[in-house]
Each structure stands twice: as structure tokens, then as C-alpha cells.
Amino acid sequence: MEDKKKKNRIKMREQTPQARIQNFMEVPYGYTPNEAVEEASRCLSCLRPACRNGCPVEVDIPSFIKLIKEGKFIEAAWKVKEKNALPAVCGRVCPQEIQCESLCILGKKGEPVAIGNLERFVADYEASEGEIQTPEKPKVTGRKVAIIGSGPGGLTCAADLIKSGHQVTLFEALHKPGGVLVYGIPEFRLPKTIVEREVEYIKKLGVEVVVNAVIGKLYTIDELLNGHGYDACFIATGAGLPMFLGIPGENLNGVYSANEFLTRANLMKAYLFPEYDTPVKRGKKVAVFGGGNVTIDTARVALRLGAEKVYLIYRRSEEEMPARKAEIHHAHEEGIEFMLLTNPTGFIDDGKGNICAVECSKMELGEPDESGRRRPVPIKGSKFQVEIDVGIPAIGTRSNPLLLHTVPDLKLNKKGYISAEADTGMTSKQGVFAGGDIVTGSATVILAMGAGKKAAKSINEYLKWKYWDFKR
Ligand code: FAD
Ligand code: SF4
């Protein structure tokens, strides 16, 4: 019995599939204090903890888990926040299974310690105890930094720079800060109140957040650096420009990009219908195209908005799907119908400009392509139609050129992302740093946070030394 306890992690209780498809509330409930202590007690407090090497923001994992074992939950939250300003977010959406947890020694003979669940627990516990404390204010340096984009990369960089005593302004194009955390990831995986709470913490540290501020339109980077007295800029504008399938009928009414569909559902609160009558079509038969996390999120949102049937149409097999296994499992449980080895070839018009069906081809897997995955090849004569009233391509995003066009001396790579040094975030332009999805292409929350942290460190160096060397 004792052995089994060591091998298996404490599962989080969650809403049943039947209950949760009727609402937008979070699926798992989170640990109770007893469950958290029990799970933390599985940790061996390794002398050379491999788990730490898997955390891009270098959280002292064994120390915070030890504090949980001792029942010191607030202290544990503080330990995490020494390195991570967004613990409740990361505890919910980080792919720990391929990061810290994949390296945990317990994973060799059983299940790794549930590091993400414990991180979520301490962050929520601290919040439930009332006022969230902030560290002592640092000595003011008199230097000003502009951060463009308030996703996890921008928020992390802002939090680290303010702790170093600089004046930090965070410019956000949308009316709410948080980036994909607020406009992309659905409420049932990451409640907006959690993001608001963590953004409030960063504001409390002293970061000024300016919303509805599209940099490139309102000010250029040169205007910020020269006219407005900013000593450095960090660009963390993400990769928010949706890609389309490029097939006939993609401009019919009822076809949305996943970005648009999720933004309307999240930021315009479609999930609070009828209280909020959001302009988004609540389809009865919805098809979502793609195989990543965004595809799964979109399909699950469509289901919760009242669709009777949601198809996930993907041209390869389930094995090749890049989405997290846990999310694929949730989608199956909720009744999303997976149409695998199926490729859309055109949307059909009902004669009035609305989508009424999608034409698809069946596929088979051929030789591996550049990505190492087997290339899907259409099977001749296999075309068929599926009746739908909403179609949502969710096949990825690219960098938005709006800001980049206004900075001609900023070097971009072949794909249109900013060329920046991986260790420092330094770009080709003096005083301009960049990180997150705008450099790597669509990646993860924690990688964007890691980039924000590295950039904050090098902006600190730049402000201390390089700037003044340059001036002399
Ligand atoms: P973003 O989060 O994209 O933030 C960029 C911000 O910059 C946005 O708010 C944008 O409005 C703003 N901006 C853009 N241009 C300008 C401008 N000119 N002026 C001012 N502001 C501007 N990752 C995970 O780790 N786990 C998940 O479960 C997960 N799920 C996802 C689900 C969805 C639906 C999506 C779309 C992504 C998901 N990701 C997930 C990926 C993750 O969210 C991103 O990798 C991460 O948010 C990138 O952070 P970022 O700071 O680089 O940019
Ligand atoms: Fe604990 Fe696993 Fe990290 Fe060891 S590797 S300290 S057992 S979480």
C-alpha cells in the first residue's frame, strides 16, 4: 500500500464530462491542503534535483515542495514567486509533463511528483488567505523601460525589471492585459480572474500598464526611445496573426479563425450568454481544423457554446497530434468527434453566402516530412462532405507585421520573426530586446516567461554598463 502511494500521484478531483460541457467553469478543482501535503510528501528532496533543470524560470522546486510538506503554504508560495510572477497561471497551463515533471526521479519507476498541481495549490492558497504581499520596494534607478505586449513574456520581464528599481511601462494593444492568457486560453482551463489576480500583483509591484495602446500606431519604437525618454524596449508582441487553410469558401459567413472565435468567446464574454450577447455564431454543427492545443481549446469552447456536434478534423493520425495528451483525453471524454486522416478541401456555400458544409478528402500516411512526422497523402476518389454551420481553421499563427514594419532597422528571420539572441534577447537595434512567441514562433507560456526573464537580466546589464559605454 505504502509503495503504491509513493508510485502514484494524488489525482485532482474534477467535474464530470457530462457536467462540465454545460458550463465554462474550471475542469479540475485543485488540491485541498491535505491532498497537497500528501502529494508533497512523495518528493524525495533530492540533493541534485533534476526537476530544477526542467524549469525555464528556475523555480526552486524542492524547496517549495518541502515547505508544503511542513504545512508552510504561504512561505511555499513566496518561494515560487521569487522566480515566477505567474504561479497560478503556470500551475494550470504549463506542459510540466515535458518539463520539470519529465525529469523528476520518481518518474523512473512510477508517476513524477505533481509539481504543477502543487504550484497551483500554493498560488491559490495565498490568494484565498486575503491580501497578497509584495516584496520591499527597491532603490529607484531613474531608468525607464518600455515593454510592448502584456502576455507572459512581457509580464515576466516587467516584474523582474521593476524589482531592479527601474520605471516600467507595459503597453498593450487590447483593452485587457494578459495576452493569450486572457484572449486565447479558455475560461475552463484558465479562469480570467486568475490572470487578473496575477496582473494585479505585477501592477502592485509598480508596473504601469497602458491598455488600448497599439505600438507602431500610437508611437513607434524610435519615438519611445528618443521622444519619450525610454532607455530600452522589450518587444513581446507574440505571434497572433492567424493562418488560414487557403481553400475555396474560406470567406463565407460562419468561417472564423480560431483566434477570432476564441477572442470573441473570451474577451467579449460569449461564455456568459445571455448576460453578454456576444457577436459570435453559436453553431449547431461545428468543425475545427488542426491538431494542436488551440484546436482542442476551440472545439471544447464550441461545445460549451451549445453546439450539438463538434468535429475535430485533422489530416494526420492521433499519434501525430501536437496537442497535450491530457487535453486530447478531455476532448474525447466530452464527446468531440475526431475525424482523423481527413483534410478539408473546400467550404460549401448555401447560396446566401453562409457556410453549409465542408468538403474533405481521406488521407493516408506516407514517408516522413521535414518535421519527422509521416506526410499525409490524399486518397484518390475519397472526397466526401460534412454538413456544418460553423468552420474554424486552427492551424497556427504567425508574427503580426504591424509593429515590425515601423522598425526597418530591426533584423527579422526568414519566417518574419524578430532575430534576437537566445540568451539575452538582444536584437540588431541598440536598446531593443525581444522574446517570447515573436522570436520563437508559437511556443509555450513558460518559454515566453523564460525569455522575459533573460531579457530583464540583460536589460539590467545594458542599463548599468553598455548604455553608458555607448554614451561616452
Ligand atoms: P502573447 O501571449 O501572444 O502576448 C502578446 C501580447 O502583445 C498580446 O496581448 C497582444 O495584444 C500584444 N500586442 C501585439 N502587438 C502589439 C502592439 N503593436 N502594441 C502593443 N501590444 C501588442 N501555452 C502553454 O504553455 N500552455 C497552454 O496550455 C497553452 N494553450 C494555448 C491556447 C491557445 C488558444 C493559444 C493561442 C496559445 C496557447 N499556448 C499555451 C501558447 C502560449 O499562450 C503562448 O506561447 C504565450 O502566450 C506567448 O507569450 P508572449 O508573451 O510571447 O505573447
Ligand atoms: Fe522532488 Fe522529483 Fe524534484 Fe527529486 S526530482 S526533488 S523527487 S520533484
mmCIF file of all heavy atoms in Angstrom, residues 270-295:
data_model
loop_
_atom_site.group_PDB
_atom_site.id
_atom_site.type_symbol
_atom_site.label_atom_id
_atom_site.label_comp_id
_atom_site.label_asym_id
_atom_site.label_seq_id
_atom_site.Cartn_x
_atom_site.Cartn_y
_atom_site.Cartn_z
ATOM 1 N N ALA A 270 -18.543 35.625 -24.416
ATOM 2 C CA ALA A 270 -19.619 34.808 -25.004
ATOM 3 C C ALA A 270 -20.038 33.720 -24.030
ATOM 4 O O ALA A 270 -21.146 33.218 -24.082
ATOM 5 C CB ALA A 270 -19.143 34.194 -26.312
ATOM 6 N N TYR A 271 -19.120 33.363 -23.099
ATOM 7 C CA TYR A 271 -19.434 32.297 -22.159
ATOM 8 C C TYR A 271 -20.450 32.739 -21.110
ATOM 9 O O TYR A 271 -20.915 31.924 -20.316
ATOM 10 C CB TYR A 271 -18.147 31.755 -21.497
ATOM 11 C CG TYR A 271 -17.312 32.793 -20.793
ATOM 12 C CD1 TYR A 271 -17.535 33.100 -19.462
ATOM 13 C CD2 TYR A 271 -16.283 33.460 -21.458
ATOM 14 C CE1 TYR A 271 -16.774 34.049 -18.814
ATOM 15 C CE2 TYR A 271 -15.512 34.401 -20.811
ATOM 16 C CZ TYR A 271 -15.757 34.708 -19.495
ATOM 17 O OH TYR A 271 -15.008 35.656 -18.867
ATOM 18 N N LEU A 272 -20.795 34.044 -21.103
ATOM 19 C CA LEU A 272 -21.809 34.497 -20.148
ATOM 20 C C LEU A 272 -23.157 34.770 -20.834
ATOM 21 O O LEU A 272 -23.969 35.521 -20.325
ATOM 22 C CB LEU A 272 -21.309 35.746 -19.408
ATOM 23 C CG LEU A 272 -20.143 35.522 -18.447
ATOM 24 C CD1 LEU A 272 -19.758 36.825 -17.758
ATOM 25 C CD2 LEU A 272 -20.488 34.477 -17.387
ATOM 26 N N PHE A 273 -23.392 34.148 -22.004
ATOM 27 C CA PHE A 273 -24.675 34.303 -22.695
ATOM 28 C C PHE A 273 -25.810 33.808 -21.792
ATOM 29 O O PHE A 273 -25.634 32.786 -21.131
ATOM 30 C CB PHE A 273 -24.643 33.486 -23.998
ATOM 31 C CG PHE A 273 -25.882 33.588 -24.819
ATOM 32 C CD1 PHE A 273 -26.078 34.666 -25.653
ATOM 33 C CD2 PHE A 273 -26.878 32.613 -24.727
ATOM 34 C CE1 PHE A 273 -27.227 34.771 -26.420
ATOM 35 C CE2 PHE A 273 -28.033 32.708 -25.485
ATOM 36 C CZ PHE A 273 -28.207 33.793 -26.332
ATOM 37 N N PRO A 274 -26.948 34.411 -21.696
ATOM 38 C CA PRO A 274 -27.423 35.587 -22.442
ATOM 39 C C PRO A 274 -27.054 36.928 -21.784
ATOM 40 O O PRO A 274 -27.404 37.982 -22.319
ATOM 41 C CB PRO A 274 -28.938 35.396 -22.437
ATOM 42 C CG PRO A 274 -29.222 34.677 -21.175
ATOM 43 C CD PRO A 274 -28.017 33.830 -20.867
ATOM 44 N N GLU A 275 -26.350 36.882 -20.637
ATOM 45 C CA GLU A 275 -25.990 38.142 -19.966
ATOM 46 C C GLU A 275 -25.190 39.028 -20.923
ATOM 47 O O GLU A 275 -25.360 40.248 -20.964
ATOM 48 C CB GLU A 275 -25.142 37.783 -18.740
ATOM 49 C CG GLU A 275 -25.135 38.802 -17.646
ATOM 50 C CD GLU A 275 -24.232 38.312 -16.530
ATOM 51 O OE1 GLU A 275 -24.272 37.102 -16.182
ATOM 52 O OE2 GLU A 275 -23.464 39.133 -16.041
ATOM 53 N N TYR A 276 -24.255 38.397 -21.694
ATOM 54 C CA TYR A 276 -23.490 39.107 -22.723
ATOM 55 C C TYR A 276 -23.876 38.528 -24.072
ATOM 56 O O TYR A 276 -23.684 37.331 -24.298
ATOM 57 C CB TYR A 276 -21.980 38.905 -22.507
ATOM 58 C CG TYR A 276 -21.434 39.695 -21.359
ATOM 59 C CD1 TYR A 276 -21.633 39.282 -20.040
ATOM 60 C CD2 TYR A 276 -20.712 40.870 -21.588
ATOM 61 C CE1 TYR A 276 -21.144 40.018 -18.982
ATOM 62 C CE2 TYR A 276 -20.215 41.614 -20.530
ATOM 63 C CZ TYR A 276 -20.428 41.179 -19.232
ATOM 64 O OH TYR A 276 -19.941 41.907 -18.180
ATOM 65 N N ASP A 277 -24.472 39.357 -24.957
ATOM 66 C CA ASP A 277 -24.890 38.853 -26.261
ATOM 67 C C ASP A 277 -23.753 39.102 -27.250
ATOM 68 O O ASP A 277 -23.794 40.019 -28.062
ATOM 69 C CB ASP A 277 -26.182 39.556 -26.689
ATOM 70 C CG ASP A 277 -26.819 38.858 -27.874
ATOM 71 O OD1 ASP A 277 -26.318 37.783 -28.268
ATOM 72 O OD2 ASP A 277 -27.790 39.404 -28.419
ATOM 73 N N THR A 278 -22.735 38.257 -27.177
ATOM 74 C CA THR A 278 -21.518 38.450 -27.969
ATOM 75 C C THR A 278 -21.766 38.137 -29.440
ATOM 76 O O THR A 278 -22.405 37.128 -29.746
ATOM 77 C CB THR A 278 -20.432 37.498 -27.421
ATOM 78 O OG1 THR A 278 -20.309 37.745 -26.037
ATOM 79 C CG2 THR A 278 -19.104 37.720 -28.099
ATOM 80 N N PRO A 279 -21.242 39.010 -30.345
ATOM 81 C CA PRO A 279 -21.415 38.706 -31.768
ATOM 82 C C PRO A 279 -20.517 37.556 -32.218
ATOM 83 O O PRO A 279 -19.448 37.750 -32.781
ATOM 84 C CB PRO A 279 -21.033 40.015 -32.477
ATOM 85 C CG PRO A 279 -20.167 40.741 -31.505
ATOM 86 C CD PRO A 279 -20.556 40.279 -30.131
ATOM 87 N N VAL A 280 -20.920 36.337 -31.899
ATOM 88 C CA VAL A 280 -20.220 35.152 -32.383
ATOM 89 C C VAL A 280 -21.296 34.109 -32.677
ATOM 90 O O VAL A 280 -22.252 33.965 -31.897
ATOM 91 C CB VAL A 280 -19.179 34.633 -31.355
ATOM 92 C CG1 VAL A 280 -19.820 34.157 -30.074
ATOM 93 C CG2 VAL A 280 -18.300 33.532 -31.933
ATOM 94 N N LYS A 281 -21.178 33.418 -33.820
ATOM 95 C CA LYS A 281 -22.233 32.464 -34.189
ATOM 96 C C LYS A 281 -22.134 31.225 -33.303
ATOM 97 O O LYS A 281 -21.076 30.599 -33.213
ATOM 98 C CB LYS A 281 -22.092 32.093 -35.662
ATOM 99 C CG LYS A 281 -23.248 31.294 -36.149
ATOM 100 C CD LYS A 281 -23.339 31.278 -37.653
ATOM 101 C CE LYS A 281 -24.508 30.371 -38.026
ATOM 102 N NZ LYS A 281 -24.504 30.026 -39.405
ATOM 103 N N ARG A 282 -23.249 30.892 -32.683
ATOM 104 C CA ARG A 282 -23.278 29.711 -31.827
ATOM 105 C C ARG A 282 -23.767 28.548 -32.697
ATOM 106 O O ARG A 282 -24.954 28.242 -32.719
ATOM 107 C CB ARG A 282 -24.184 29.955 -30.625
ATOM 108 C CG ARG A 282 -23.796 31.229 -29.863
ATOM 109 C CD ARG A 282 -24.902 31.726 -28.969
ATOM 110 N NE ARG A 282 -25.007 30.919 -27.776
ATOM 111 C CZ ARG A 282 -24.254 31.068 -26.703
ATOM 112 N NH1 ARG A 282 -23.323 31.990 -26.670
ATOM 113 N NH2 ARG A 282 -24.417 30.292 -25.676
ATOM 114 N N GLY A 283 -22.810 27.922 -33.410
ATOM 115 C CA GLY A 283 -23.163 26.900 -34.397
ATOM 116 C C GLY A 283 -23.748 25.650 -33.764
ATOM 117 O O GLY A 283 -23.473 25.318 -32.604
ATOM 118 N N LYS A 284 -24.554 24.962 -34.559
ATOM 119 C CA LYS A 284 -25.121 23.674 -34.104
ATOM 120 C C LYS A 284 -24.185 22.532 -34.499
ATOM 121 O O LYS A 284 -24.024 21.557 -33.776
ATOM 122 C CB LYS A 284 -26.504 23.431 -34.734
ATOM 123 C CG LYS A 284 -27.581 24.345 -34.170
ATOM 124 C CD LYS A 284 -28.048 23.878 -32.803
ATOM 125 C CE LYS A 284 -28.823 24.929 -32.054
ATOM 126 N NZ LYS A 284 -28.273 25.302 -30.757
ATOM 127 N N LYS A 285 -23.590 22.661 -35.715
ATOM 128 C CA LYS A 285 -22.635 21.654 -36.176
ATOM 129 C C LYS A 285 -21.352 22.396 -36.528
ATOM 130 O O LYS A 285 -21.328 23.164 -37.503
ATOM 131 C CB LYS A 285 -23.181 20.913 -37.396
ATOM 132 C CG LYS A 285 -24.334 20.006 -37.041
ATOM 133 C CD LYS A 285 -24.775 19.194 -38.228
ATOM 134 C CE LYS A 285 -25.916 18.281 -37.773
ATOM 135 N NZ LYS A 285 -26.607 17.671 -38.864
ATOM 136 N N VAL A 286 -20.336 22.167 -35.736
ATOM 137 C CA VAL A 286 -19.106 22.960 -35.858
ATOM 138 C C VAL A 286 -17.954 22.029 -36.221
ATOM 139 O O VAL A 286 -17.830 20.941 -35.653
ATOM 140 C CB VAL A 286 -18.796 23.660 -34.510
ATOM 141 C CG1 VAL A 286 -17.515 24.483 -34.607
ATOM 142 C CG2 VAL A 286 -19.971 24.534 -34.078
ATOM 143 N N ALA A 287 -17.109 22.479 -37.163
ATOM 144 C CA ALA A 287 -15.883 21.717 -37.445
ATOM 145 C C ALA A 287 -14.688 22.602 -37.153
ATOM 146 O O ALA A 287 -14.659 23.781 -37.528
ATOM 147 C CB ALA A 287 -15.845 21.282 -38.906
ATOM 148 N N VAL A 288 -13.714 22.048 -36.422
ATOM 149 C CA VAL A 288 -12.479 22.771 -36.126
ATOM 150 C C VAL A 288 -11.360 21.995 -36.816
ATOM 151 O O VAL A 288 -11.337 20.757 -36.756
ATOM 152 C CB VAL A 288 -12.235 22.850 -34.600
ATOM 153 C CG1 VAL A 288 -11.048 23.746 -34.302
ATOM 154 C CG2 VAL A 288 -13.473 23.377 -33.893
ATOM 155 N N PHE A 289 -10.449 22.722 -37.471
ATOM 156 C CA PHE A 289 -9.428 22.065 -38.292
ATOM 157 C C PHE A 289 -8.046 22.251 -37.675
ATOM 158 O O PHE A 289 -7.645 23.385 -37.410
ATOM 159 C CB PHE A 289 -9.456 22.649 -39.711
ATOM 160 C CG PHE A 289 -10.827 22.577 -40.330
ATOM 161 C CD1 PHE A 289 -11.715 23.650 -40.205
ATOM 162 C CD2 PHE A 289 -11.254 21.430 -40.979
ATOM 163 C CE1 PHE A 289 -12.989 23.584 -40.738
ATOM 164 C CE2 PHE A 289 -12.529 21.353 -41.521
ATOM 165 C CZ PHE A 289 -13.402 22.430 -41.401
ATOM 166 N N GLY A 290 -7.328 21.160 -37.455
ATOM 167 C CA GLY A 290 -5.982 21.229 -36.898
ATOM 168 C C GLY A 290 -5.798 20.138 -35.861
ATOM 169 O O GLY A 290 -6.713 19.324 -35.633
ATOM 170 N N GLY A 291 -4.618 20.108 -35.213
ATOM 171 C CA GLY A 291 -4.359 19.044 -34.240
ATOM 172 C C GLY A 291 -3.605 19.514 -33.009
ATOM 173 O O GLY A 291 -3.105 18.704 -32.229
ATOM 174 N N GLY A 292 -3.533 20.846 -32.824
ATOM 175 C CA GLY A 292 -2.768 21.372 -31.681
ATOM 176 C C GLY A 292 -3.663 21.729 -30.504
ATOM 177 O O GLY A 292 -4.881 21.494 -30.532
ATOM 178 N N ASN A 293 -3.048 22.332 -29.482
ATOM 179 C CA ASN A 293 -3.801 22.730 -28.288
ATOM 180 C C ASN A 293 -4.894 23.734 -28.619
ATOM 181 O O ASN A 293 -5.975 23.715 -28.033
ATOM 182 C CB ASN A 293 -2.847 23.353 -27.268
ATOM 183 C CG ASN A 293 -1.974 22.298 -26.630
ATOM 184 O OD1 ASN A 293 -2.453 21.232 -26.252
ATOM 185 N ND2 ASN A 293 -0.687 22.570 -26.540
ATOM 186 N N VAL A 294 -4.589 24.610 -29.585
ATOM 187 C CA VAL A 294 -5.573 25.648 -29.927
ATOM 188 C C VAL A 294 -6.806 24.991 -30.561
ATOM 189 O O VAL A 294 -7.943 25.394 -30.295
ATOM 190 C CB VAL A 294 -4.933 26.688 -30.881
ATOM 191 C CG1 VAL A 294 -5.942 27.763 -31.244
ATOM 192 C CG2 VAL A 294 -3.692 27.299 -30.249
ATOM 193 N N THR A 295 -6.582 23.942 -31.368
ATOM 194 C CA THR A 295 -7.702 23.231 -31.999
ATOM 195 C C THR A 295 -8.600 22.623 -30.919
ATOM 196 O O THR A 295 -9.828 22.748 -30.960
ATOM 197 C CB THR A 295 -7.174 22.082 -32.900
ATOM 198 O OG1 THR A 295 -5.968 22.493 -33.528
ATOM 199 C CG2 THR A 295 -8.192 21.665 -33.918
#
